[in-house]
Amino acid sequence: MKYLFVLTLFAVVAFFLYWRLRPYIRAARRFLGVMREVNRMREGAAPRADLPRQPERGKAAAGSGKLVRCAGCGTWTPAARAVSLRAGASYCSHACLERAADSPRRERQSAS
């Protein structure tokens, strides 16, 4: 009976210790994963497929990118990254598009 009590007490202490150190363990695992990827890329191996990747754009699209103005906030963004609608309006992000759709419609005044 004594051994069962000691074993249970040891398990509770180990669980409590793990529970308190869990964020640090998670951070260490992330750091080690990043270091593994850096080493893999340094050696010239292809990046792992299970990691999220940014879509690759050609050099022509990056160098000669046409800028379009966001209809919601007025920010200039590359046309390749802009969210375009069929009506011809372009937005810098999906969030800006949603804000523009939720806000009341404002009439633009002409200079004349």
Side-chain angles (χ1 to χ4, degrees), residues 57-66:
R57 292 180 174 87
K59 289 183 180 178
S64 64
K66 179 181 170 188

Side-chain angles (χ1 to χ4, degrees), residues 15-35:
F15 177 75
F16 180 73
L17 206 75
Y18 168 74
W19 190 259
R20 298 294 290 177
L21 295 177
R22 194 176 47 154
Y24 303 107
I25 293 170
R26 187 181 308 141
R29 290 184 71 192
R30 275 191 185 160
F31 178 75
L32 291 175
V34 167
M35 293 307 296

Side-chain angles (χ1 to χ4, degrees), residues 21 40 44 67 77 102:
L21 295 177
R40 186 174 291 137
L67 295 178
T77 57
D102 290 341

Side-chain angles (χ1 to χ4, degrees), residues 7-75:
L7 186 62
T8 305
L9 187 63
F10 179 73
V12 168
V13 169
F15 177 75
F16 180 73
L17 206 75
Y18 168 74
W19 190 259
R20 298 294 290 177
L21 295 177
R22 194 176 47 154
Y24 303 107
I25 293 170
R26 187 181 308 141
R29 290 184 71 192
R30 275 191 185 160
F31 178 75
L32 291 175
V34 167
M35 293 307 296
R36 251 185 255 123
E37 284 300 313
V38 167
N39 286 337
R40 186 174 291 137
M41 291 179 86
R42 188 181 302 157
E43 293 170 358
R48 288 180 23 194
D50 61 343
L51 297 176
R53 292 179 43 180
Q54 296 291 332
E56 295 180 15
R57 292 180 174 87
K59 289 183 180 178
S64 64
K66 179 181 170 188
L67 295 178
V68 293
R69 188 169 185 171
C70 177
C73 64
T75 304

